Amino acid sequence: ADRLLTARALAELSDIRVGQGFDIHPFTEGSAVTLCGVVIPFDRKLAGHSDADVAMHALTDAVLGAIGEGDIGTHFPPSDPQWKGAPSSLFLAKAVDLVRARGGMIANADISIIAEVPKISPHLAAMKRALSGVLGISGDRIAIKATTAEKLGALGRGEGIAAFAVALIR
């Protein structure tokens, strides 16, 4: 009988799901890096088919993962020329639309960016504002942290940037 009560109690709770995402891109010749929709002047850019926004790509995968909808490459294949140079906000907005189409909402998002360069902390407030608009949630429901790789490996040598993200969906 206790199992039945537990199952009923769980069924009455709103559906809560968590998704996680990861992305990494190497640097190439350029003049700015885009992270969380914010263009940061720099002596290189991230290589990728779209704008190579690793943080927004990781978050898009986290949102898609929470609803069991594959990953960013499933919805926006790099082989499709229409996504060449596209802003990653389009990808994240599509993932959010898929959540809303199911009657859900983003509860919060948490992103960790791993980069030796450029300096990210001066841009964190602008990044939160940009994500808030796309996700449709207040900035206090978004965490963005920047850290280095302590000079270890390719990221530590400054060869690119990586990001991890988690999204909670209700």
PDB file of all heavy atoms in Angstrom, residues 24 116 149-160:
ATOM      1  N   ILE A  24      32.403  22.391 -26.832  1.00  0.00           N
ATOM      2  CA  ILE A  24      33.783  22.886 -26.886  1.00  0.00           C
ATOM      3  C   ILE A  24      34.081  23.303 -28.321  1.00  0.00           C
ATOM      4  O   ILE A  24      33.626  22.647 -29.264  1.00  0.00           O
ATOM      5  CB  ILE A  24      34.775  21.797 -26.393  1.00  0.00           C
ATOM      6  CG1 ILE A  24      36.189  22.342 -26.291  1.00  0.00           C
ATOM      7  CG2 ILE A  24      34.697  20.545 -27.258  1.00  0.00           C
ATOM      8  CD1 ILE A  24      37.148  21.408 -25.531  1.00  0.00           C
ATOM      9  N   GLU A 116      40.840  30.137 -20.604  1.00  0.00           N
ATOM     10  CA  GLU A 116      41.974  30.921 -20.108  1.00  0.00           C
ATOM     11  C   GLU A 116      41.823  32.373 -20.562  1.00  0.00           C
ATOM     12  O   GLU A 116      42.160  33.302 -19.835  1.00  0.00           O
ATOM     13  CB  GLU A 116      43.295  30.343 -20.622  1.00  0.00           C
ATOM     14  CG  GLU A 116      43.594  28.929 -20.165  1.00  0.00           C
ATOM     15  CD  GLU A 116      43.801  28.798 -18.667  1.00  0.00           C
ATOM     16  OE1 GLU A 116      44.412  29.699 -18.050  1.00  0.00           O
ATOM     17  OE2 GLU A 116      43.336  27.789 -18.108  1.00  0.00           O
ATOM     18  N   ALA A 149      41.290  26.499 -16.842  1.00  0.00           N
ATOM     19  CA  ALA A 149      41.702  25.097 -16.768  1.00  0.00           C
ATOM     20  C   ALA A 149      43.056  24.976 -16.074  1.00  0.00           C
ATOM     21  O   ALA A 149      43.722  23.948 -16.177  1.00  0.00           O
ATOM     22  CB  ALA A 149      41.752  24.486 -18.164  1.00  0.00           C
ATOM     23  N   GLU A 150      43.458  26.045 -15.380  1.00  0.00           N
ATOM     24  CA  GLU A 150      44.714  26.047 -14.625  1.00  0.00           C
ATOM     25  C   GLU A 150      45.914  25.640 -15.482  1.00  0.00           C
ATOM     26  O   GLU A 150      46.801  24.923 -15.031  1.00  0.00           O
ATOM     27  CB  GLU A 150      44.604  25.141 -13.393  1.00  0.00           C
ATOM     28  CG  GLU A 150      43.517  25.544 -12.421  1.00  0.00           C
ATOM     29  CD  GLU A 150      43.760  26.880 -11.736  1.00  0.00           C
ATOM     30  OE1 GLU A 150      44.934  27.299 -11.614  1.00  0.00           O
ATOM     31  OE2 GLU A 150      42.772  27.517 -11.338  1.00  0.00           O
ATOM     32  N   LYS A 151      45.890  26.087 -16.741  1.00  0.00           N
ATOM     33  CA  LYS A 151      46.984  25.841 -17.695  1.00  0.00           C
ATOM     34  C   LYS A 151      47.130  24.374 -18.099  1.00  0.00           C
ATOM     35  O   LYS A 151      48.115  23.987 -18.706  1.00  0.00           O
ATOM     36  CB  LYS A 151      48.329  26.363 -17.152  1.00  0.00           C
ATOM     37  CG  LYS A 151      48.320  27.801 -16.690  1.00  0.00           C
ATOM     38  CD  LYS A 151      48.353  28.738 -17.838  1.00  0.00           C
ATOM     39  CE  LYS A 151      48.492  30.178 -17.337  1.00  0.00           C
ATOM     40  NZ  LYS A 151      47.953  31.127 -18.254  1.00  0.00           N
ATOM     41  N   LEU A 152      46.130  23.544 -17.799  1.00  0.00           N
ATOM     42  CA  LEU A 152      46.193  22.124 -18.129  1.00  0.00           C
ATOM     43  C   LEU A 152      45.489  21.833 -19.454  1.00  0.00           C
ATOM     44  O   LEU A 152      44.391  22.328 -19.704  1.00  0.00           O
ATOM     45  CB  LEU A 152      45.545  21.283 -17.027  1.00  0.00           C
ATOM     46  CG  LEU A 152      46.230  21.324 -15.663  1.00  0.00           C
ATOM     47  CD1 LEU A 152      45.397  20.573 -14.634  1.00  0.00           C
ATOM     48  CD2 LEU A 152      47.625  20.734 -15.750  1.00  0.00           C
ATOM     49  N   GLY A 153      46.091  21.022 -20.285  1.00  0.00           N
ATOM     50  CA  GLY A 153      45.470  20.568 -21.534  1.00  0.00           C
ATOM     51  C   GLY A 153      45.270  21.670 -22.559  1.00  0.00           C
ATOM     52  O   GLY A 153      45.787  22.772 -22.440  1.00  0.00           O
ATOM     53  N   ALA A 154      44.496  21.327 -23.606  1.00  0.00           N
ATOM     54  CA  ALA A 154      44.256  22.261 -24.715  1.00  0.00           C
ATOM     55  C   ALA A 154      43.570  23.538 -24.235  1.00  0.00           C
ATOM     56  O   ALA A 154      43.938  24.641 -24.662  1.00  0.00           O
ATOM     57  CB  ALA A 154      43.419  21.586 -25.799  1.00  0.00           C
ATOM     58  N   LEU A 155      42.584  23.406 -23.351  1.00  0.00           N
ATOM     59  CA  LEU A 155      41.914  24.608 -22.834  1.00  0.00           C
ATOM     60  C   LEU A 155      42.895  25.448 -22.020  1.00  0.00           C
ATOM     61  O   LEU A 155      42.897  26.671 -22.123  1.00  0.00           O
ATOM     62  CB  LEU A 155      40.702  24.228 -21.988  1.00  0.00           C
ATOM     63  CG  LEU A 155      39.542  23.580 -22.737  1.00  0.00           C
ATOM     64  CD1 LEU A 155      38.456  23.136 -21.761  1.00  0.00           C
ATOM     65  CD2 LEU A 155      38.973  24.513 -23.786  1.00  0.00           C
ATOM     66  N   GLY A 156      43.714  24.790 -21.228  1.00  0.00           N
ATOM     67  CA  GLY A 156      44.712  25.493 -20.420  1.00  0.00           C
ATOM     68  C   GLY A 156      45.765  26.195 -21.248  1.00  0.00           C
ATOM     69  O   GLY A 156      46.339  27.194 -20.811  1.00  0.00           O
ATOM     70  N   ARG A 157      46.013  25.687 -22.446  1.00  0.00           N
ATOM     71  CA  ARG A 157      46.957  26.347 -23.359  1.00  0.00           C
ATOM     72  C   ARG A 157      46.280  27.464 -24.145  1.00  0.00           C
ATOM     73  O   ARG A 157      46.902  28.087 -24.997  1.00  0.00           O
ATOM     74  CB  ARG A 157      47.558  25.323 -24.320  1.00  0.00           C
ATOM     75  CG  ARG A 157      48.508  24.330 -23.662  1.00  0.00           C
ATOM     76  CD  ARG A 157      49.243  23.457 -24.676  1.00  0.00           C
ATOM     77  NE  ARG A 157      48.342  22.620 -25.452  1.00  0.00           N
ATOM     78  CZ  ARG A 157      47.931  21.403 -25.098  1.00  0.00           C
ATOM     79  NH1 ARG A 157      48.348  20.876 -23.954  1.00  0.00           N
ATOM     80  NH2 ARG A 157      47.123  20.700 -25.876  1.00  0.00           N
ATOM     81  N   GLY A 158      45.013  27.703 -23.892  1.00  0.00           N
ATOM     82  CA  GLY A 158      44.305  28.773 -24.576  1.00  0.00           C
ATOM     83  C   GLY A 158      43.938  28.444 -26.007  1.00  0.00           C
ATOM     84  O   GLY A 158      43.820  29.334 -26.849  1.00  0.00           O
ATOM     85  N   GLU A 159      43.704  27.157 -26.299  1.00  0.00           N
ATOM     86  CA  GLU A 159      43.388  26.739 -27.669  1.00  0.00           C
ATOM     87  C   GLU A 159      41.895  26.803 -27.982  1.00  0.00           C
ATOM     88  O   GLU A 159      41.501  26.611 -29.125  1.00  0.00           O
ATOM     89  CB  GLU A 159      43.915  25.321 -27.903  1.00  0.00           C
ATOM     90  CG  GLU A 159      45.428  25.234 -27.844  1.00  0.00           C
ATOM     91  CD  GLU A 159      45.951  23.808 -27.969  1.00  0.00           C
ATOM     92  OE1 GLU A 159      45.204  22.913 -28.434  1.00  0.00           O
ATOM     93  OE2 GLU A 159      47.113  23.583 -27.585  1.00  0.00           O
ATOM     94  N   GLY A 160      41.066  27.059 -26.973  1.00  0.00           N
ATOM     95  CA  GLY A 160      39.622  27.128 -27.194  1.00  0.00           C
ATOM     96  C   GLY A 160      38.884  27.374 -25.903  1.00  0.00           C
ATOM     97  O   GLY A 160      39.479  27.711 -24.887  1.00  0.00           O
TER      98      GLY A 160
END
